[in-house]
């Protein structure tokens, strides 16, 4: 239960090597969120979709895992692996077509950075209103939208020229034709 988790975390001291109070707080908040999800699963007393809609904070998620200032970003071999695999998948020419439908995109665009070279248009979908709003904010290049430059430059570096990110960024914004609500649990 979230109250048990909260109690067990109270006495923890911050690790000293590269961890900040902000990082610890974010991790605690995510642990707290996921403990609520587990409680819902075990007790079947609330709807997980509603919990996700209410509790998930896309800005916090993006700052925690995709911001160059975050510890998770600096130490994330998984993201590097994903970017490389996506690049290799789409650059091969084996996966290509007219329309790519990204189901469950969240507030993220990294997964379509390489795909934009293999498709003519992209449709992004997600369950969360907040995720779609954050995604659309980036598409419209609004102030306060998440800055994907550091990840975009990494993808462009895989493609041979890190400095091409501004061109790719424009291309992606033109290629994403729609951002739609999609609930995979419904027929």
């Amino acid at each position: 239960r979230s109250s048990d988790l909260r109690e067990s975390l109270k006495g923890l001291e911050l690790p000293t090597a590269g961890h900040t109070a902000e990082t610890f707080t974010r991790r605690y908040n995510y642990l707290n969120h996921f403990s609520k999800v587990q409680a819902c699963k075990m007790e079947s007393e609330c709807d997980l979709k509603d919990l996700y809609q209410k509790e998930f904070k896309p800005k916090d998620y993006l700052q925690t895992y995709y911001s160059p200032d975050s510890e998770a970003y600096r130490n994330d071999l998984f993201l590097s692996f994903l970017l490389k695999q996506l690049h290799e998948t789409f650059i091969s020419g084996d996966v290509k077509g007219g329309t790519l439908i990204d189901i469950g995109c969240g507030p993220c665009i990294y997964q379509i950075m390489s795909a934009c070279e293999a498709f003519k248009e992209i449709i992004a979908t997600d369950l969360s209103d907040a995720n779609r709003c954050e995604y659309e904010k980036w598409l419209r290049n609004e102030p306060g939208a998440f800055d994907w430059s550091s990840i975009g430059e990494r993808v462009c570096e895989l493609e041979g020229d890190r400095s091409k990110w501004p061109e790719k960024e424009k291309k992606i914004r033109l290629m994403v034709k729609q951002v739609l609500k999609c609930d995979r649990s419904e027929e």
Side-chain angles (χ1 to χ4, degrees):
R1 296 190 185 272
S2 61
S3 59
D4 295 337
L5 178 62
R6 208 174 287 123
E7 282 301 312
S8 66
L9 290 176
K10 275 186 182 175
L12 291 179
E13 294 183 27
L14 287 175
T16 55
H19 291 78
T20 64
E22 180 183 1
T23 301
F24 181 77
T25 302
R26 283 190 181 134
R27 287 185 177 171
Y28 170 78
N29 288 339
Y30 281 105
L31 283 172
N32 187 35
H33 168 72
F34 290 113
S35 68
K36 288 179 186 177
V37 170
Q38 291 303 321
C40 288
K41 284 181 181 176
M42 292 185 317
E43 296 175 16
S44 298
E45 61 186 46
C46 63
D47 184 355
L48 290 177
K49 291 187 292 187
D50 289 340
L51 182 65
Y52 182 63
Q53 283 278 26
K54 292 175 190 172
E55 298 286 332
F56 188 75
K57 307 291 186 246
K59 283 187 179 289
D60 290 346
Y61 173 76
L62 292 171
Q63 277 304 122
T64 300
Y65 295 103
Y66 301 102
S67 171
D69 299 333
S70 75
E71 176 190 344
Y73 176 88
R74 288 190 303 272
N75 299 321
D76 190 6
L77 295 176
F78 187 67
L79 179 60
S80 296
F81 172 78
L82 282 177
L83 295 177
K84 185 177 182 197
Q85 293 305 307
L86 288 165
H87 167 72
E88 289 174 1
T89 297
F90 293 110
I91 206 73
S92 72
D94 293 336
V95 180
K96 61 185 178 184
T99 303
L100 171 71
I101 301 175
D102 185 359
I103 298 175
C105 61
C108 300
I109 65 155
Y110 73 86
Q111 66 275 16
I112 62 169
M113 289 179 180
S114 291
C116 77
E117 303 303 329
F119 288 86
K120 294 181 177 94
E121 67 177 23
I122 297 169
I123 297 172
T125 70
D126 199 77
L127 169 67
S128 165
D129 299 334
N131 283 347
R132 291 190 319 278
C133 181
E134 193 64 34
Y135 196 104
E136 289 173 325
K137 192 180 209 181
W138 180 84
L139 284 176
R140 292 188 297 266
N141 202 15
E142 291 181 8
F146 187 75
D147 181 5
W148 287 98
S149 297
S150 62
I151 294 175
E153 289 169 356
R154 288 168 66 180
V155 170
C156 289
E157 186 172 19
L158 289 170
E159 294 173 357
D161 189 349
R162 185 179 186 91
S163 69
K164 298 246 179 183
W165 169 241
E167 295 168 33
K168 183 179 278 291
E169 186 176 32
K170 288 177 189 169
K171 182 177 185 173
I172 293 169
R173 285 188 169 116
L174 291 171
M175 288 185 68
V176 177
K177 302 299 183 190
Q178 297 178 70
V179 180
L180 304 172
K181 184 168 189 153
C182 177
D183 185 347
R184 296 181 297 179
S185 69
E186 294 181 5
E187 291 183 31

